[in-house]
Amino acid sequence: MTEFEKADVDGNGTIDQAEWDKLAFEDRRLKLQDDDAQRDAQRKMAWFALFGMLLYPFAIMICNLAGLDEAMKSLASIAGVYFVSVAAIVAAFYGKEAYTKGKASSNDEFSR
């Protein structure tokens, strides 16, 4: 079955206004679902990054207590790069959220 045949619900060979409206509604619904899933994934990524920043020093301490001096030195040597990278991820997420929220509120003001 082709996409046209799927859209032509009544099977009359043309897609009338009601069928177009149904397609537009379904497209909008799918876009909202995709946007919601994207926001959820980005939020989870930001929280995972924040927890990683909190747990990183404990990983260094555990290596020290376990006598894994080489592992502790390796973790400590990349700590600066790690924290800057994770901070950039978190800042980008919250910056994007603030930008889109500000953009949405300014669009609401113009639509009045």
Side-chain angles (χ1 to χ4, degrees):
M1 179 177 269
T2 66
E3 292 297 319
F4 178 80
E5 291 168 339
K6 290 178 189 175
D8 185 21
V9 177
D10 57 10
N12 65 355
T14 62
I15 300 176
D16 57 13
Q17 187 62 43
E19 292 166 333
W20 277 114
D21 291 344
K22 183 178 178 183
L23 285 173
F25 177 77
E26 182 66 18
D27 185 56
R28 177 73 176 144
R29 186 184 67 79
L30 291 174
K31 179 160 179 25
L32 288 172
Q33 283 180 340
D34 290 346
D35 290 346
D36 186 47
Q38 179 184 9
R39 283 189 303 269
D40 287 345
Q42 289 173 339
R43 188 177 305 112
K44 287 176 186 175
M45 178 190 64
W47 279 108
F48 185 79
L50 285 171
F51 283 125
M53 286 180 78
L54 292 173
L55 295 176
Y56 195 88
F58 291 111
I60 294 173
M61 290 186 333
I62 289 170
C63 287
N64 188 20
L65 293 174
L68 303 170
D69 293 331
E70 199 61 38
M72 181 196 65
K73 289 177 186 175
S74 295
L75 285 173
S77 69
I78 63 170
V81 174
Y82 175 78
F83 280 102
V84 170
S85 300
V86 172
I89 291 170
V90 173
F93 171 73
Y94 285 109
K96 179 199 71 85
E97 289 297 310
Y99 175 76
T100 55
K101 186 176 180 181
K103 188 176 178 181
S105 65
S106 68
N107 285 343
D108 289 343
E109 291 175 14
F110 291 123
S111 64
R112 293 180 188 173

